[in-house]
Amino acid sequence: RWPPVTMAATVIAAVVIRHLLTIPDYRIRFDRMLLRVPVFGTLIRETLAARLTRTLGNLLENGVALISALDIAKDALGNLAAAEAVEAAALMAEGGAGLSRPLAAAAIFPARTIQLLQLGEEAAQLAAMSLKAADIHEEQARLMMQRLVALAVPMITIAMGLAVAGIISALLTAMLSLNDLAS
């Protein structure tokens, strides 16, 4: 009786959520919420920092102006909250305020990213420091993924064991009830 209602409610909820995520205000809220999720938020932050710094470093290294490079890099992020922070930083940098302070104020990217970008600005080596930051963040994200997978394996094993135990108990119950009917 309840499974069809539950399935219908799940499908309707998925369609409504998917539609809401096409609206920029809801998408920014959702992206900010994702960044606050305990374990996965940190992984997302590392990934965003790696994308930003890799894209920025490659563009700057190939002669693209900082403001244009930031505009391109924000489109590569895939997270509207982070893209909004990069856009604000680009506006501040255009006014001569630098890049690292506005990014730090947004509190989206890891402190390591901000420190390396600040060091790159001060040393006039923003492209090289961005690429170094990208290497560090990619390595951190890879290590975090390995840890999450290592934690997931025992949980999956236990879940599979419980599923098999449930199937076996259902079969045994059916066989015993047939035995009772035969007696």
Side-chain angles (χ1 to χ4, degrees), residues 5-6 20-21 27-28 32 43 52 57 70 72 77-78 84 101 108 114 122 126 150 158 161 167 172 176 179:
V5 174
T6 305
L20 285 176
L21 290 179
R27 177 65 190 267
I28 287 175
R32 283 192 182 123
L43 178 62
L52 172 67
L70 286 171
I72 294 168
L77 292 176
E84 189 178 73
R101 278 195 202 120
I108 288 179
I114 306 304
E122 291 170 359
L126 190 56
I158 290 169
I167 292 169
L172 285 175
L176 290 173
N179 193 22

Side-chain angles (χ1 to χ4, degrees), residues 21 24-38 40-42 44-45 48 78-86 88 105-108:
L21 290 179
D25 287 341
Y26 289 106
R27 177 65 190 267
I28 287 175
R29 287 182 194 163
F30 179 76
D31 286 347
R32 283 192 182 123
M33 182 198 67
L34 277 180
L35 295 172
R36 287 191 300 263
V37 173
F40 295 105
T42 306
I44 292 169
R45 286 175 191 272
L48 288 172
N79 182 301
L80 288 185
E84 189 178 73
V86 171
I108 288 179

Side-chain angles (χ1 to χ4, degrees), residues 72-122:
I72 294 168
K74 85 173 165 64
D75 293 335
L77 292 176
N79 182 301
L80 288 185
E84 189 178 73
V86 171
E87 188 173 347
L91 288 173
M92 298 288 285
E94 195 172 23
L99 176 64
S100 57
R101 278 195 202 120
L103 286 178
I108 288 179
F109 298 100
R112 185 184 324 107
T113 306
I114 306 304
Q115 291 167 352
L116 289 169
L117 290 176
Q118 185 177 12
L119 186 62
E121 285 176 328
E122 291 170 359

Side-chain angles (χ1 to χ4, degrees), residues 4 10 27 83 142 144 155-156:
T10 303
R27 177 65 190 267
R142 187 186 65 77
M144 289 180 76
M155 288 187 254
I156 291 170

